[in-house]
Amino acid sequence: MGAAKYLYGLLNGRRVHVSEVASGTVVDSLFGDAKLRAYHGESGRIWHFKLISGVDPDPWHEGKTQWHIDRQNLFPKECQEVVREDFFGDPAHIADVCVRNFVVEFQHSYMSPEERRERERFYQNMFWVVDGDRTKTGYKRFLEDGRKSVRQITLNGVQVRFVFGPRCVFPYEWVESTVPVFFDFRKQPVWYCLLPGRVDNAAVCLKMRRDQFVGIVNDNPFVWIQQQRKMMDGVRKWAKAEGKSAFEKMEIDVGMSYASMWMS
């Protein structure tokens, strides 16, 4: 199955989805002077707009797989492929999803840490959702290496999962992100959020159902981020007060406890 780059264009100044026009229809790009043509592929091919003339308006905007489109469709069409500008005079970019000035980017293909940092600087207020099954060994690595690296403790009624050596559990290019990164392993009913920052060199990971994620983005992601920052501050204070004994109090039965950490 091929990848589709643009699903939206402008027809006579009106924003349209590729499914709203006949195959072969020529439209304008969402910004810039490019022309796009609608392609309605055969069974198994993703319908999309293809660049036919002019400069590609957004080199960041990559081809979409069906995984990408399915996740993007968790949000209303008016929130998909939204043109965003920053305050530094840089060229505009098209966010996968934007809800009230908060961006969600879905990433299937490999992205270098340098490019990730550039996008985070541009969008600033954002979440990443990463396809954890991009490689054949991604989920296996998550389970097997995580078995050695993840511990949890309950503080004030909240389960906190620490990941020691997160590069061994998650793709290395994402572990130093300055914004929350949600990993979507398709064999799991939940997503795993790697929070920015560290507690004594350990990363902190949360579990979240997909519908919870959508609710947070639609409601007020800024409030959720502030809550997680307060939680991280509390965990750091706890670790400092406990000293070396802090992490000794965590579950260390790596057989039963590891499974319950991720699945409960």
Side-chain angles (χ1 to χ4, degrees), residues 232-264:
M232 289 284 284
D233 288 342
V235 171
R236 290 188 184 101
K237 290 178 182 178
W238 164 82
K240 184 177 181 180
E242 293 290 334
K244 293 183 179 180
S245 65
F247 295 113
E248 295 175 1
K249 296 183 178 181
M250 296 181 185
E251 296 184 21
I252 58 174
D253 181 355
V254 296
M256 292 297 293
S257 66
Y258 179 73
S260 65
M261 283 180 212
W262 290 133
M263 301 300 292
S264 60

Side-chain angles (χ1 to χ4, degrees), residues 142-159:
F142 170 72
L143 287 180
E144 294 183 355
D145 290 338
R147 192 178 301 275
K148 311 167 190 174
S149 306
V150 179
R151 299 292 183 270
Q152 77 174 16
I153 194 168
T154 301
L155 296 174
N156 299 323
V158 177
Q159 283 189 337

Side-chain angles (χ1 to χ4, degrees), residues 5-6 8-13 24-39 48-58:
K5 186 162 187 180
Y6 295 107
Y8 292 85
L10 296 176
L11 181 62
N12 299 323
T25 301
V26 175
V27 303
D28 296 317
S29 56
L30 292 178
F31 71 94
D33 59 359
K35 296 291 184 181
L36 312 173
R37 176 176 285 127
Y39 283 85
H48 63 283
F49 286 115
K50 184 176 181 180
L51 179 71
I52 58 171
S53 68
V55 178
D56 191 338
D58 190 359

Side-chain angles (χ1 to χ4, degrees), residues 185-204:
F185 295 98
R186 291 171 238 182
K187 298 180 180 67
Q188 292 283 348
V190 293
W191 290 354
Y192 301 91
C193 174
L194 192 64
L195 293 174
R198 295 290 184 268
V199 177
D200 281 359
N201 296 320
V204 174

Side-chain angles (χ1 to χ4, degrees), residues 165-205:
R167 288 173 180 264
C168 297
V169 180
F170 298 106
Y172 80 94
E173 62 268 25
W174 296 104
V175 298
E176 299 298 333
S177 176
T178 59
V179 301
V181 181
F182 294 79
F183 293 92
D184 176 12
F185 295 98
R186 291 171 238 182
K187 298 180 180 67
Q188 292 283 348
V190 293
W191 290 354
Y192 301 91
C193 174
L194 192 64
L195 293 174
R198 295 290 184 268
V199 177
D200 281 359
N201 296 320
V204 174
C205 187

